[in-house]
Amino acid sequence: MTVLVTGGAGFIGSNFIFYWMENHPEDKVVCLDKLTYAGNLSTLKAVMDKPNFQFAKGDICDKERVFDLFRAEHPEVVVNFAAETHVDRSIDGPSVFLQTNLFGTATLLEACREFGVGRYHQVSTDEVYGDLPLERPDLFFTEETPLYTSSPYSASKAGADLMVQAYHKTFGVQATISRCSNNYGPYQFPEKLIPLMVLNALQDKPLPVYGEGINIRDWLYVKDHCRAIELILQKGKPGEIYNVGGHNERRNIDVVRLVCTELRKPESLITYVADRKGHDRRYAIDPEKIHKELGWLPETNFEDGMKRTIRWYAENREWWEGIVSGEYQEYYKKMYGSR
Ligand code: NAD
Ligand code: DAU
C-alpha cells in the first residue's frame, strides 16, 4: 500500500513517517512537503535513501502538482499534516494560514475525490474548540463541543475540518479527523514552548513566559499521537472525529520550571513577557471515545517523555543549530525583542 504523508518534513509528520515505516515496512511512504521555514529535509535523513520512501517537494495548494503526484503514486491512504501551525505567527500574518490550512486541505480533498482514494485523514487540533475556564477543571473538550475558535490559526483549522466533513457527506470521500492536544518530542521547531525553552536554557538565555504563566496545556508525547492516527486509519469509521489526549494538563510555568530542573539551570532565567493576544486559557481533551472505540491509551508519561525530549535536544545540536542561526534570529527579534 502507498501512504501519502503531507507535511512530513515537519515535527509530527516526520515522527509519523518514522513510526509508520518501522511498523509497516511493506508499505511505500511518499512525503509531500513545501519545505517552509518549519520543514526540514535533514529531519528525514534516516529514511531518505530507503527504497520504500520518496520525498516530493510541493505545495498542497498547487492543484496541478498535487494531481500529478496522485496520478503517479496512486496513494491508498492520505494523511494530512501539512499546515501553518504557530498561533503567534497567525496573529502576525493570517493570510498564509487561510491559504495552506483551508485551501490546501480542500485541494487534497478534491484530489481524493478525483482519484477515489480509500482513506483521507485530517490531522486537526483541540484548538478548534476554543478554550476552557481555568476555574472549571471539571470541563473537557468532547467531540460534541461546539467549534469556537480564538486565533486565525485555529479558525483556519476549524474551516478545514468543516471542509473534510463536507467532502465526506457530499462526495462520499472516506475521511476521518483527529483533534489532538499539544504534542512534544524530538524534531519540534523551536518556536513552540517546549523546544524554545529547552534551547534557550541550554544557551543560558532568558525563558520568556507569556503573561503569568498560568495558562494550561494538555501535553502528549508525539509517538502516542502517531499511534492514535494509526489506530484511526486501521479501525476508525469514515465520517467520524476522534479527540486525542492523555489527561496531562500542566500550567506553562510548571513546564518551564521542569525544563530548568532537568537541565540544572536557575529559575532566574525565567522572564515574564507580554501576553499573547486572545491567549487561550486552558485546553483539556476528553479521550473517552478513542479509548472505548479503538482501544487507544497513551504510553509515555510526561516526566519520562520530557526527560527523553530534553536529552534529544541536548544530543542533537547539529539539527537545531542550523535552524536557530538563520531566519529564526529575525523571527525571535521581532516576537521577543521588545516584548
Ligand atoms: P510543523 O509546523 O512542525 O510542520 C508543518 C509542515 O508542513 C512543515 O514541514 C511544512 O514545510 C509543511 N507545510 C506547510 N505549508 C505547506 C504547504 N502549503 N504545502 C506542503 N507542505 C506544507 O507542524 P506540526 O506541529 O508537526 O503539526 C502538524 C499538524 O498537526 C498540523 O496540521 C497541526 O495543525 C496539527 N497539530 C499539531 C499539534 C502540535 O502540538 N504541534 C497538536 C495538534 C495538531
Ligand atoms: O493544542 C494543539 C496546538 O498546540 C497545535 O494545534 C498548535 O499547532 C501548536 O502550536 C500548539 O499551540 P499552542 O499555542 O498551545 O503552543 P505554543 O507552544 O505556541 O504555546 C504553548 C503555551 O505556551 C501557550 O499557552 C503560550 C505559551 N508560550 C509559548 C511560547 C512560544 C509562552 O509562554 N512563551 C513562549 O515563548
Side-chain angles (χ1 to χ4, degrees), residues 158-301:
D161 285 8
L162 295 177
M163 197 59 85
V164 174
Q165 290 178 299
Y167 268 72
H168 172 71
K169 202 166 170 188
T170 306
F171 302 119
V173 171
Q174 300 295 289
T176 42
I177 297 173
S178 54
R179 292 179 178 152
C180 190
S181 61
N182 286 63
N183 284 213
Y184 68 100
Y187 298 108
Q188 186 169 28
F189 193 85
E191 65 192 350
K192 308 283 166 53
L193 179 75
I194 290 178
L196 186 143
M197 296 299 169
V198 172
L199 267 50
N200 280 17
L202 283 169
Q203 299 169 97
D204 297 306
K205 290 184 176 164
L207 308 177
V209 172
Y210 297 169
E212 297 172 78
I214 55 173
N215 301 61
I216 291 174
R217 295 294 181 264
D218 185 358
W219 294 97
L220 185 74
Y221 192 64
V222 62
K223 196 171 177 183
D224 283 323
H225 186 186
C226 295
R227 164 118 184 84
I229 295 171
E230 176 189 47
L231 274 175
I232 295 168
L233 290 173
Q234 291 170 333
K235 302 203 276 176
K237 223 172 111 217
E240 292 292 311
I241 295 165
Y242 297 90
N243 280 356
V244 184
H247 281 306
N248 180 45
E249 295 175 47
R250 310 275 162 157
R251 295 188 314 167
N252 292 339
I253 186 65
D254 298 326
V255 172
V256 178
R257 284 190 181 130
L258 179 64
V259 170
C260 292
T261 307
E262 285 297 326
L263 287 171
R264 296 195 174 81
K265 297 289 180 180
E267 286 187 11
S268 56
L269 284 177
I270 296 173
T271 56
Y272 292 90
V273 300
D275 211 347
R276 172 184 281 173
K277 284 184 193 145
H279 197 173
D280 282 339
R281 294 160 296 176
R282 170 175 168 251
Y283 301 146
I285 282 279
D286 175 353
E288 201 59 11
K289 178 175 173 178
I290 191 164
H291 172 52
K292 282 225 169 96
E293 291 185 14
L294 309 186
W296 178 87
L297 273 177
E299 285 170 6
T300 307
N301 79 46

Side-chain angles (χ1 to χ4, degrees), residues 6-231:
T6 62
F11 166 46
I12 310 176
S14 60
N15 277 282
F16 181 79
I17 288 174
F18 301 144
Y19 180 86
W20 196 269
M21 292 188 70
E22 193 179 325
N23 291 285
H24 305 271
E26 68 288 0
D27 287 350
K28 178 176 181 186
V29 172
V30 177
C31 169
L32 173 66
D33 197 295
K34 186 180 176 184
L35 297 180
T36 67
Y37 77 91
N40 200 328
L41 215 43
S42 77
T43 300
L44 295 171
K45 206 167 53 193
V47 293
M48 213 48 143
D49 293 331
K50 297 218 185 256
N52 60 338
F53 177 76
Q54 191 190 322
F55 181 79
K57 186 168 188 286
D59 188 335
I60 58 164
C61 304
D62 180 347
K63 186 173 174 192
E64 211 180 307
R65 177 75 177 104
V66 168
F67 274 47
D68 282 349
L69 191 68
F70 275 64
R71 203 171 288 117
E73 297 295 339
H74 308 289
E76 277 100 329
V77 171
V78 175
V79 187
N80 180 27
F81 294 92
E84 288 292 335
T85 61
H86 193 34
V87 173
D88 292 325
R89 289 190 196 245
S90 81
I91 296 167
D92 194 45
S95 67
V96 68
F97 284 74
L98 272 177
Q99 185 66 16
T100 287
N101 299 357
L102 193 49
F103 190 71
T105 298
T107 307
L108 291 172
L109 287 164
E110 196 53 36
C112 288
R113 174 161 96 103
E114 174 77 19
F115 294 95
V117 167
R119 175 64 79 82
Y120 175 88
H121 183 73
Q122 175 74 358
V123 183
S124 186
T125 168
D126 60 358
E127 294 200 19
V128 298
Y129 299 121
D131 67 347
L132 296 164
L134 292 174
E135 62 282 5
R136 289 291 308 273
D138 56 315
L139 297 181
F140 297 92
F141 297 136
T142 71
E143 289 79 0
E144 278 73 46
T145 301
L147 304 184
Y148 192 64
T149 56
S150 308
S151 70
Y153 161 69
S154 53
S156 66
K157 292 292 290 184
D161 285 8
L162 295 177
M163 197 59 85
V164 174
Q165 290 178 299
Y167 268 72
H168 172 71
K169 202 166 170 188
T170 306
F171 302 119
V173 171
Q174 300 295 289
T176 42
I177 297 173
S178 54
R179 292 179 178 152
C180 190
S181 61
N182 286 63
N183 284 213
Y184 68 100
Y187 298 108
Q188 186 169 28
F189 193 85
E191 65 192 350
K192 308 283 166 53
L193 179 75
I194 290 178
L196 186 143
M197 296 299 169
V198 172
L199 267 50
N200 280 17
L202 283 169
Q203 299 169 97
D204 297 306
K205 290 184 176 164
L207 308 177
V209 172
Y210 297 169
E212 297 172 78
I214 55 173
N215 301 61
I216 291 174
R217 295 294 181 264
D218 185 358
W219 294 97
L220 185 74
Y221 192 64
V222 62
K223 196 171 177 183
D224 283 323
H225 186 186
C226 295
R227 164 118 184 84
I229 295 171
E230 176 189 47
L231 274 175

